């Protein structure tokens, strides 16, 4: 019986959605995941263990799962015997202190003696101790942002993504404490078997191929040979663009990869230089 690599992942929320998207783009096909705790892949030797995000570090530390995909904030908060094996680069956010918008914030000393509501008391207490601030930490699970409005706290310490939740609760972000993102974690004191390590290496290769393609477009065009040098000088491509002959000996086909954010700027220059029939295509994976 093959040994599947078990990965604990978040059972709902933004990180869940982005993890499922990454696995799908990496060619991993899962059986139905709704209301199922353990789900194997149909075409790859992994299985996913769906847990609450704050249970993932413990599940990896005690060996229930081989690996976990979870927010760095949960790793730092739970302080389990795990290490970050790889930063995955998605579900980016940060943890910040916020206070009511009407307050004229003078600096960190404002929090001295104040009550701060949070679901992350460990991270917050370490920060306050480092900054020499003595505050009352009030632990809340759930909607931390409502605490100042109902008189439970003077300010909050919570995850900030877009900031819209703070604004809707009349709060202003005043101190960013840590940045967070999705990370792959493993037990600090346990090694994977050779078989599972090989599976992990292949999975990371696929993840990197998907990541490398993110924000890029594959572009191809027809170019008069007399204009080729000018067109090539415009293209920033990876290494150098590919130039192929066409049936018409006076023309050639040029292929390259561009950053999507610069696409329209560069396309305009290419057209002005004489390129025609320009196509820009999405890239699903880029094998480097």
């Amino acid at each position: 019986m093959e040994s599947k690599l078990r990965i604990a992942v978040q059972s709902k929320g933004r990180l869940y959605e982005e993890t499922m998207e990454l696995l799908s783009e990496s060619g991993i096909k899962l059986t139905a995941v709704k209301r199922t705790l353990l789900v194997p892949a149909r075409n790859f030797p992994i299985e996913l263990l769906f847990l609450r995000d704050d249970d993932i570090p413990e599940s990896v530390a005690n060996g229930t799962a081989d690996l976990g995909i979870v927010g760095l904030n949960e790793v730092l908060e739970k302080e389990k015997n795990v290490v970050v094996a790889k930063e995955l680069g998605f579900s980016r956010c940060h943890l910040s202190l916020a206070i009511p918008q009407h307050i004229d914030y003078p600096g960190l000393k404002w929090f001295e003696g104040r009550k701060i509501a949070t679901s992350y008391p460990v991270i917050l207490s370490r920060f306050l101790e480092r900054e020499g601030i003595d505050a009352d930490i009030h632990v809340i699970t759930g909607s931390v942002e409502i605490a100042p409005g109902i008189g439970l706290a003077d300010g909050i310490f919570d995850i900030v993504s877009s900031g819209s939740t703070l604004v809707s609760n009349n709060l202003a972000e005043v101190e960013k404490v840590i940045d967070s993102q999705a990370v792959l974690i493993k037990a600090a004191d346990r090694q994977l078997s050779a078989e599972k390590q090989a599976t992990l290496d292949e999975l990371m290769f696929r993840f990197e191929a998907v990541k490398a393609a993110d924000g890029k477009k594959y572009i191809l065009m027809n170019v008069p040979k007399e204009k080729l040098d000018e067109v090539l000088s415009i293209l920033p491509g990876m290494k150098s663009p590919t130039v192929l002959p066409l049936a018409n000996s006076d023309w050639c086909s040029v292929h390259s990869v561009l950053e999507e954010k610069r696409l329209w700027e560069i396309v305009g220059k290419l057209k002005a230089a004489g390129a025609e029939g320009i196509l820009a295509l999405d890239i699903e994976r880029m094998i480097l």
Side-chain angles (χ1 to χ4, degrees), residues 143-183:
S143 301
V144 172
E145 65 277 357
I146 69 172
I150 60 176
L152 284 180
D154 300 297
I156 69 167
F157 177 66
D158 202 15
I159 289 177
V160 178
S161 295
S162 66
S164 59
T165 301
L166 294 181
V167 173
S168 64
N169 285 276
N170 299 310
L171 298 173
E173 182 180 3
V174 292
E175 298 284 346
K176 184 170 78 169
V177 176
I178 64 163
D179 290 307
S180 183
Q181 63 175 292
V183 295

Side-chain angles (χ1 to χ4, degrees), residues 82-216:
V82 299
V83 295
V84 173
K86 188 171 184 60
E87 295 179 345
L88 298 177
F90 60 89
S91 292
R92 292 185 181 275
C93 60
H94 52 276
L95 271 66
S96 292
L97 287 159
I99 63 175
Q101 292 176 349
H102 68 272
I103 295 175
D104 185 15
Y105 180 65
L108 265 176
K109 284 296 182 183
W110 183 87
F111 288 98
E112 184 72 31
R114 308 271 186 177
K115 181 178 287 187
I116 307 171
T118 187
S119 298
Y120 298 93
V122 173
I123 297 173
L124 177 58
S125 62
R126 286 203 303 261
F127 172 74
L128 294 176
E129 182 179 0
R130 187 167 66 247
E131 297 295 331
I133 303 295
D134 184 14
D136 180 13
I137 297 176
H138 184 56
V139 180
I140 292 179
T141 56
S143 301
V144 172
E145 65 277 357
I146 69 172
I150 60 176
L152 284 180
D154 300 297
I156 69 167
F157 177 66
D158 202 15
I159 289 177
V160 178
S161 295
S162 66
S164 59
T165 301
L166 294 181
V167 173
S168 64
N169 285 276
N170 299 310
L171 298 173
E173 182 180 3
V174 292
E175 298 284 346
K176 184 170 78 169
V177 176
I178 64 163
D179 290 307
S180 183
Q181 63 175 292
V183 295
L184 182 75
I185 59 173
K186 63 180 183 180
D189 56 359
R190 189 171 59 254
Q191 297 295 319
L192 296 175
S193 68
E195 184 180 8
K196 289 185 176 182
Q197 184 61 52
T199 299
L200 176 59
D201 291 343
E202 171 63 21
L203 186 63
M204 289 299 101
F205 172 76
R206 295 188 185 196
F207 282 2
E208 286 299 322
V210 172
K211 183 179 178 181
D214 188 38
K216 294 183 174 64

